[in-house]
Amino acid sequence: MNTHVASWFDIPVTDMQRAKNFYQTLLATTFKDDEMNGLQMAIFASEEGAVSGMLVQGECYQPSSTGTVVYFNGGEDLNLPLDRGLQNGGSPILPKTPIHDGECGYFALLSDSEGNRIGLYSPS
């Protein structure tokens, strides 16, 4: 039985290559490209059993700055991926912010290259 609250996420994009470049730089990750039912997809590399997701481009997928927020693992210090994201087409929304004076870690919000609001989380 999967004990994760979430099991998958889709991030809508309008320019697949631009979005892949953004997330590859932000998260130092890779993708597996796929296509299904007219949808262009780029699936995030992840370990077996890990919650993962994909970038998806298609008629019914529109980026949004007001929808659900996906928080990505920012590693030990989210300043590193945050800086990479901002240098690669992202826009700041909320800077690195302590949660309960840092006792519960830190988070930041930014817009991705497609206009989606995303988050980063790290313990320090």
Side-chain angles (χ1 to χ4, degrees):
M1 179 175 174
N2 186 345
T3 59
H4 299 286
V5 173
S7 60
W8 187 261
F9 59 86
D10 291 348
I11 298 176
V13 306
T14 54
D15 184 321
M16 182 61 77
Q17 191 57 55
R18 179 179 63 202
K20 284 174 59 177
N21 290 342
F22 176 83
Y23 283 98
Q24 284 172 327
T25 301
L26 176 76
L27 301 172
T29 192
T30 59
F31 292 95
K32 175 187 175 209
D33 294 327
D34 204 350
E35 183 179 350
M36 181 177 69
N37 299 330
L39 301 174
Q40 297 296 316
M41 302 176 290
I43 301 166
F44 284 89
S46 64
E47 296 177 12
E48 188 172 332
V51 173
S52 189
M54 68 182 174
L55 306 176
V56 60
Q57 181 178 2
E59 188 175 314
C60 62
Y61 285 89
Q62 297 299 316
S64 172
S65 63
T66 59
T68 302
V69 178
V70 175
Y71 281 84
F72 290 98
N73 182 342
E76 288 301 312
D77 182 356
L78 70 75
N79 284 319
L80 300 174
L82 181 59
D83 289 345
R84 290 192 304 255
L86 295 176
Q87 293 170 7
N88 195 43
S91 301
I93 296 174
L94 185 67
K96 181 178 177 179
T97 303
I99 304 168
H100 295 293
D101 295 325
E103 292 178 23
C104 297
Y106 297 81
F107 77 103
L109 293 173
L110 66 150
S111 290
D112 71 5
S113 62
E114 307 305 292
N116 294 300
R117 181 177 47 163
I118 61 169
L120 292 169
Y121 170 82
S122 73
S124 59

